[in-house]
Amino acid sequence: MAHRPKRTFRQRRAHSSDSDGAEEQSSEPGAPEEQTAQGLTEEGPPSGGGRVEATARRVRGRGRGRGRGRVWASSRRSAGAATRTEGGLSVPDEEDETAHSLENKDDQSSSSNSSSSLEEEFSSVVNIPDAAFIQAARRKRELARAQNDYISLDVKHTSAIPGMKKNSGDDPESEPDDHEKRIAFTPKSQTLKQRMAEETTPRNEETSEESQEDENQDIWEQQQMRKAVKITEGRDLDLSYSSEPQTVKKFDTSISLPPVNLEIIKKQLNNRLTLLQDTHRSHLREYEKYIQDVESSKSTIQNLENSSNQALNFKFYKSMKIYVENLIDCLNEKIVSIQEIESSMHALLLKQAMTFMKRRQDELKHESTYLQQLSRRTETSTNESLAVDEKTQWILEEIESRRSRRRQARALSGNCDHQEGTSSDDELSSADMNDFQKTQDDISQDHKKIFEDVHDDFCNIQHILLKFQQWREKYPDSYYEAFISLCIPKLLNPLIRVQLIDWNPLKCDAIGLKQMPWFTSIEEFMASSMEDSKKEDSSDKKILSAVINKTIIPRLTDFVEFIWDPLSTSQTTSLITHCRVILEELSTCANEVSKGKQDLLKSVVVRMKKAIEDDVFIPLYPKSTVENKTSPHSKFQERQFWSGIKLFRNILLWNGLLPDDTLQELGLGKLLNRYLIIALLNAIPGPDVVKKCNQIAAYLPEKWFQNSAMRTSIPQLENFIQFLLRSAHKLSRSEFRDEVKEIIPILVKIKALNQAESFIEEYNLDDLKSVIKEV
């Protein structure tokens, strides 16, 4: 496509209608219509006057210029545009009828004063054709365009009517109706020659017409050649290829070739023959191997077809595969519900444990603060009443009401030998107890619904183990090769956790592990394994230990870390019972549970350390204050001391499970020497002090003193021994001389024999020498 050249808009001046204005207009530089207008005036009829001649020249010049530059045509042309001369008549151009020129608008606006006089003069010279003649000329031109794709340039009539269009515009009959006018929405289709003219039209209008025609002709020829080449290539590629010159490579005789020797040719042929023979032999070997493989495959197929046992084996393995896949899918679907219910139960128990712990600490804080205020008032000897806030008063009343209920319960049970402070303050109000029980029942109901839509083969541990037992009995080799003993604990883990949801190892009435259904089922499975298997080191013997290590110990560890209260003797006793079953009764599986055992015992030690630091508080008051056993200070001190004794006992109950060094560090080093001995030193020597020392010695493990050659006690008891000797010296000089006879057996029990003998010799207590001799 040729690029459309820029349109040049010429400035026109129409200040007057005289000849001077016309001559001035035609004398503008660079106007191409100047020469054209002069040429037309020579061929046309003589003008009627200078003014008419100038006007006709200007109009013809514009008309001729427009006829040559149709590529600039737009849809905006005035009715006074130039006309095209065709067949000796002045025929208006088709595009000129529907377009209005921006130039003529300017021209018309500038020459509005002289338009009427010009039309009168011009109409006397020009003959205006009628409408029928114009329509006939138009049809003739369109027919010529349709047939020859060009407009004939053969002009027979040289008469031009440059002002026809303008004058005909005044006649309303010559104008087409509105519905007959053609509106150009798109550019008109152009002929090939017109497109060539657009491409080759120079931007400079001063270029000569001869150079333009030569360039147009060259461009047109080039375009035609390119089109012809493209058509030829598209239709016949072989023809275009064959038209290319073929170059034949000629042999260069100047190049010298190496000499040809018969021996060399023979050697190369022999090498080639040897290589082919080797390749042939390798192919033969491969062929023989393939033949043997085919024969072996055929015999295997025949043996399998003839053997019915193989089909049964395949059927069994396939059924086991499907069963295990379904079991795993079932457990994967239920594991989410199991975890949610486990979390709910654990959160409920944790909330209860935190309630008890926080209440105990708050009550201890408020009671201690109240007694301190009471002591200050006593020291100042004021008779004013002690101001106590409502919260403290309410807490003190609540504490005393719970103690009264416990005293009544002990009196009804006949337990009169009880010390204040040794009872577990774990009572709940009726409302709190009902809420706790209701929530626990709801969780238990949800727990029962987990596997209510599951067949027993996929939720009953005994049925599951029976499936694997059948596999072990029928195909023991494949059973052990598949390491089923490692898979069973993982498969049973969710099912065992379901049975442990409502199991609380801190309760005294909790069911023992050995009485649980899963425990008995695994034991039976292991027993049948030892009967069937000839191997002494059967891997099925480790199933129970793996289950305990992966399922039971983690649950016990959670209870110890978050729920267990070391100050509660009942919780500690129940927990120790379950731990002994796990860690002692299953001693044959010690290697498997060693890591879990270490984690469990470590959590026990950490929890007891925390209890010593947070829950042990024994206040020290002046002796004058505590001499009165009925004073609130004395009662509070006694309760806190016996609470420490209770924790001391609970720590030493772990004897046999925790190492002796750990127990001695916790019980003797951190609790006895740091808290209990200091409280005893502040007490008044008497029967109460001897009773407390007797209680401390009674809780010490006997195995620590079983060595008969032992004459001195363990180092951590040195402070306790020195306190006993000091108390004996004071009692021997007081009215409680008989209490000395109770101190000597304490020294003997803890293997402080040298100190006991020295004291007996010093005070001539010959009747107590028999006690030492019995040891």
Side-chain angles (χ1 to χ4, degrees), residues 348 432-442 507:
L348 179 64
D432 294 339
M433 196 64 188
N434 292 334
D435 292 341
F436 175 81
Q437 192 63 38
K438 183 178 180 302
T439 306
Q440 190 175 22
D441 293 341
D442 294 340
K507 287 186 176 181

Side-chain angles (χ1 to χ4, degrees), residues 365-401:
K365 178 180 177 181
H366 284 85
E367 192 171 4
S368 175
T369 303
Y370 170 75
L371 293 176
Q372 288 178 358
Q373 295 176 358
L374 190 62
S375 298
R376 294 195 199 100
R377 193 191 67 170
T378 303
E379 292 175 359
T380 56
S381 301
T382 58
N383 296 325
E384 298 178 0
S385 61
L386 183 63
V388 182
D389 59 294
E390 295 181 358
K391 183 177 180 180
T392 302
Q393 186 65 30
W394 180 82
I395 290 176
L396 294 177
E397 292 177 356
E398 184 67 21
I399 294 172
E400 190 60 32
S401 64

Side-chain angles (χ1 to χ4, degrees), residues 733-744:
R733 295 190 295 267
S734 66
E735 57 184 357
F736 302 106
R737 183 179 178 86
D738 295 337
E739 300 296 333
V740 177
K741 297 179 180 180
E742 296 184 8
I743 295 177
I744 299 301

Side-chain angles (χ1 to χ4, degrees), residues 228-246:
V229 170
K230 290 181 180 179
I231 293 173
T232 305
E233 290 178 355
R235 291 180 179 178
D236 192 1
L237 296 175
D238 296 337
L239 181 61
S240 63
Y241 177 79
S242 62
S243 63
E244 297 179 358
Q246 297 181 356

Side-chain angles (χ1 to χ4, degrees), residues 255-315:
I255 300 175
S256 61
L257 298 175
V260 179
N261 191 351
L262 186 60
E263 294 295 331
I264 295 175
I265 296 174
K266 183 178 179 181
K267 183 177 180 181
Q268 291 179 354
L269 291 175
N270 289 332
N271 294 335
R272 178 64 177 170
L273 179 61
T274 303
L275 180 62
L276 292 175
Q277 288 175 354
D278 294 339
T279 305
H280 178 65
R281 282 192 295 270
S282 64
H283 289 169
L284 287 178
R285 287 192 298 269
E286 291 180 0
Y287 174 74
E288 293 175 357
K289 181 181 179 181
Y290 293 152
I291 293 297
Q292 293 177 359
D293 293 342
V294 170
E295 294 296 333
S296 176
S297 300
K298 289 181 179 180
S299 61
T300 303
I301 293 172
Q302 186 176 3
N303 293 333
L304 292 175
E305 291 176 351
N306 295 333
S307 175
S308 60
N309 294 331
Q310 296 295 333
L312 294 176
N313 296 346
F314 174 76
K315 184 178 180 180

Side-chain angles (χ1 to χ4, degrees), residues 324-494:
V324 172
E325 289 177 352
N326 293 333
L327 177 61
I328 293 174
D329 293 340
C330 174
L331 297 178
N332 288 335
E333 182 178 350
K334 299 296 182 179
I335 191 65
V336 178
S337 301
I338 295 172
Q339 291 176 350
E340 291 178 355
I341 296 176
E342 274 185 339
S343 301
S344 300
M345 181 62 75
H346 186 269
L348 179 64
L349 298 176
L350 177 61
K351 180 180 178 182
Q352 186 186 45
M354 296 302 296
T355 301
F356 291 146
M357 185 180 301
K358 187 175 183 303
R359 187 181 69 181
R360 181 171 62 231
Q361 293 177 355
D362 290 344
E363 291 176 352
L364 179 63
K365 178 180 177 181
H366 284 85
E367 192 171 4
S368 175
T369 303
Y370 170 75
L371 293 176
Q372 288 178 358
Q373 295 176 358
L374 190 62
S375 298
R376 294 195 199 100
R377 193 191 67 170
T378 303
E379 292 175 359
T380 56
S381 301
T382 58
N383 296 325
E384 298 178 0
S385 61
L386 183 63
V388 182
D389 59 294
E390 295 181 358
K391 183 177 180 180
T392 302
Q393 186 65 30
W394 180 82
I395 290 176
L396 294 177
E397 292 177 356
E398 184 67 21
I399 294 172
E400 190 60 32
S401 64
R402 289 201 305 271
R403 289 172 184 164
S404 299
R405 289 195 294 268
R406 288 195 294 269
R407 292 191 195 101
Q408 294 175 2
R410 288 194 297 269
L412 294 175
S413 62
N415 185 12
C416 299
D417 187 13
H418 180 81
Q419 298 295 332
E420 291 286 343
T422 58
S423 60
S424 298
D425 190 7
D426 54 0
E427 294 90 352
L428 285 174
S429 63
S430 58
D432 294 339
M433 196 64 188
N434 292 334
D435 292 341
F436 175 81
Q437 192 63 38
K438 183 178 180 302
T439 306
Q440 190 175 22
D441 293 341
D442 294 340
I443 296 174
S444 299
Q445 292 296 327
D446 295 338
H447 148 241
K448 295 177 182 178
K449 295 178 182 179
I450 294 177
F451 289 106
E452 66 178 1
D453 59 342
V454 180
H455 195 271
D456 288 344
D457 289 343
F458 300 96
C459 64
N460 192 309
I461 295 178
Q462 188 173 4
H463 291 188
I464 295 173
L465 293 177
L466 184 61
K467 292 281 187 180
F468 289 101
Q469 185 176 350
Q470 292 175 358
W471 185 0
R472 185 179 60 194
E473 292 174 355
K474 292 182 178 180
Y475 312 103
D477 294 337
S478 62
Y479 174 85
Y480 289 108
E481 289 175 359
F483 298 99
I484 302 301
S485 60
L486 299 178
C487 302
I488 288 178
K490 297 180 181 179
L491 291 175
L492 300 183
N493 177 268

